[in-house]
């Protein structure tokens, strides 16, 4: 029963964070179990049902809650399918770019010297060019596809992880516990894996959470420009691009994908802000029980 009490207390004191977590859980559940959640096949077209408004009668067991698109597809089903694609692109991009950037940051911050110079010059070189411009050039050469979008997003954001990880390693490599492990003959790999990585995971996780929102927005922008996800696949940015031609006659085609992007990125940012606050606050501020220091027994002085 204690975990139920703690959960209720958390929901009560962090209402905004709880709502954001609930929204993301529902979104992830719908994306994973799309076939059981969506009332229609997102790839089934019927031009006789094109651009129906929300709550229109449908041919299945539910009405078209969000209406239909220009191809006669149920917009709710297409929106859930777009969530699946967008979340997969975001997660894979964060995983690839985070792994590559953290490894380079670890090497640069721990070994310093020539390794640090090479890594930081690569970071400076890439950060001098706008990331969106690099993405557009690479996708123009390789062609738009889901795999290429993940690759482009990864190579344009790895330097963020590298810079943060390098700074954390530079401040931690002089700590006493690292010096003690080094004096005991521990290898570089053991010091990094066992002693240093666990101490930098909290800020890295916060950064990865923020980068997830950046990846979703970047993928939506690329798909909107026609260089991201391509039909018959669906994504929220592609839905915005397809619906902008009907902005005055079918407002729901751009409203619901836009709200999905807004609410998802906002929820991720709220959770990342809460994670950052939790990682920097003191135990007393976080609600942990802090034991008072033991008092030394008073010794009565002999007269």
């Amino acid at each position: 029963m204690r975990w139920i009490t703690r959960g209720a207390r958390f929901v009560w004191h962090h209402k905004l964070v709880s709502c954001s977590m609930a929204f993301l859980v529902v979104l992830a559940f719908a994306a994973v179990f799309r076939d059981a959640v969506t009332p229609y096949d997102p790839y089934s077209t019927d031009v006789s049902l094109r651009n129906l408004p929300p709550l229109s009668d449908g041919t299945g067991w539910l009405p078209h809650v969000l209406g239909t698109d220009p191809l006669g597809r149920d917009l709710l089903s297409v929106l859930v399918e777009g969530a699946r694609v967008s979340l997969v692109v975001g997660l894979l991009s964060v995983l690839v770019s985070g792994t590559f950037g953290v490894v380079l940051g670890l090497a640069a911050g721990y070994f310093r010297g020539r390794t640090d110079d090479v890594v930081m010059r690569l970071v400076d070189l890439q950060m001098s060019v706008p990331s969106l411009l690099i993405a557009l050039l690479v996708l123009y050469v390789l062609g738009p596809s889901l795999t290429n979008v993940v690759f482009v997003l990864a190579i344009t954001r790895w330097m963020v992880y590298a810079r943060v990880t390098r700074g954390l390693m530079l401040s931690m490599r002089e700590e006493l516990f690292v010096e003690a492990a080094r004096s005991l003959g521990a290898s570089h790999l053991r010091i990094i894996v066992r002693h240093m990585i666990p101490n930098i995971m909290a800020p890295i996780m916060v950064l990865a959470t923020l980068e997830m929102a950046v990846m979703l927005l970047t993928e939506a922008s690329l798909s909107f420009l026609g260089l991201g996800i391509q039909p018959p696949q669906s994504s929220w940015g592609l839905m915005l691009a397809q619906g902008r031609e009907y902005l005055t006659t079918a407002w729901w085609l751009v409203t619901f994908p836009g709200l999905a992007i807004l609410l998802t990125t906002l929820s991720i940012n709220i959770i990342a802000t809460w994670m950052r606050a939790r990682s920097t606050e003191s135990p007393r501020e976080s609600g942990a029980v802090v034991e008072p220091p033991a008092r030394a027994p008073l010794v009565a002085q002999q007269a």
Side-chain angles (χ1 to χ4, degrees):
M1 294 296 294
R2 180 177 299 178
W3 66 273
I4 298 178
T5 304
R6 290 181 178 177
R9 188 181 306 163
F10 175 84
V11 172
W12 177 256
H13 290 289
H14 302 87
K15 301 180 182 65
L16 192 58
V17 177
S18 302
C19 292
S20 301
M21 289 182 177
F23 174 79
L24 293 179
V25 169
V26 172
L27 183 66
F29 179 84
V32 173
F33 301 99
R34 179 199 47 119
D35 296 333
V37 173
T38 56
Y40 298 94
D41 184 3
Y43 298 105
S44 177
T45 61
D46 187 354
V47 293
S48 63
L49 302 176
R50 64 191 305 267
N51 291 345
L52 293 179
L55 301 178
S56 299
D57 294 334
T59 57
W61 57 278
L62 273 180
H64 297 293
V65 180
L66 302 183
T68 60
D69 66 359
L71 297 178
R73 301 176 298 180
D74 180 67
L75 193 61
L76 176 60
S77 303
V78 179
L79 193 69
V80 174
E81 177 65 16
R84 170 186 286 189
V85 175
S86 298
L87 291 177
V88 167
V89 171
L91 288 173
L92 290 179
S93 302
V94 168
L95 181 62
V96 175
S97 62
T99 302
F100 185 66
V102 168
V103 170
L104 289 182
L106 288 172
Y110 183 81
F111 295 106
R112 296 193 296 185
R114 188 181 299 273
T115 303
D116 188 21
D117 293 337
V118 172
V119 172
M120 293 312 297
R121 296 298 77 76
L122 290 175
V123 170
D124 295 338
L125 177 64
Q126 184 158 347
M127 293 195 70
S128 64
V129 183
S131 299
L132 186 58
L133 179 60
I134 297 176
L136 293 175
L137 291 176
V138 174
L139 287 175
Y140 178 79
V141 175
L142 299 180
S145 67
L146 190 148
T147 304
N148 291 341
V149 170
V150 173
F151 172 73
V152 165
L153 293 179
I155 65 173
T156 55
R157 299 300 297 179
W158 66 269
M159 64 281 189
V160 179
Y161 297 92
R163 292 185 65 184
V164 173
T165 306
R166 172 185 176 271
L168 294 172
M169 293 294 289
L170 287 177
S171 62
M172 189 173 296
R173 71 186 309 274
E174 307 298 336
E175 295 288 341
L176 292 178
F177 66 92
V178 176
E179 293 290 343
R182 190 180 294 115
S183 64
L184 292 174
S187 63
H188 296 311
L189 182 61
R190 182 179 179 85
I191 293 174
I192 294 174
V193 174
R194 294 292 300 274
H195 301 284
M196 304 185 76
I197 290 182
N199 288 282
I200 66 172
M201 282 305 297
I204 295 300
M205 291 300 297
V206 174
L207 177 61
T209 305
L210 290 172
E211 284 295 302
M212 180 68 182
V214 174
M215 296 297 185
L216 290 177
L217 289 175
T218 307
E219 182 275 324
S221 301
L222 293 174
S223 298
F224 182 81
L225 296 174
L227 293 175
I229 305 301
Q230 298 295 306
Q233 289 181 315
S234 180
S235 76
W236 292 336
L238 183 60
M239 294 175 68
L240 290 175
Q242 294 173 343
R244 62 179 174 175
E245 300 179 2
Y246 306 91
L247 188 60
T248 58
T249 58
W251 55 267
W252 53 91
L253 296 179
V254 296
T255 300
F256 295 117
L259 285 176
I261 296 174
L262 172 64
L263 294 177
T264 303
T265 54
L266 181 61
S267 299
I268 293 175
N269 285 323
I270 289 173
I271 293 175
T273 303
W274 172 77
M275 291 172 59
R276 181 179 180 181
R278 290 282 297 182
S279 63
T280 57
E281 67 186 5
S282 64
R284 187 179 299 277
E285 292 173 344
S286 63
V289 178
V290 181
E291 295 292 339
R295 294 185 176 181
L298 298 177
V299 179
Q301 295 182 357
Q302 298 291 334

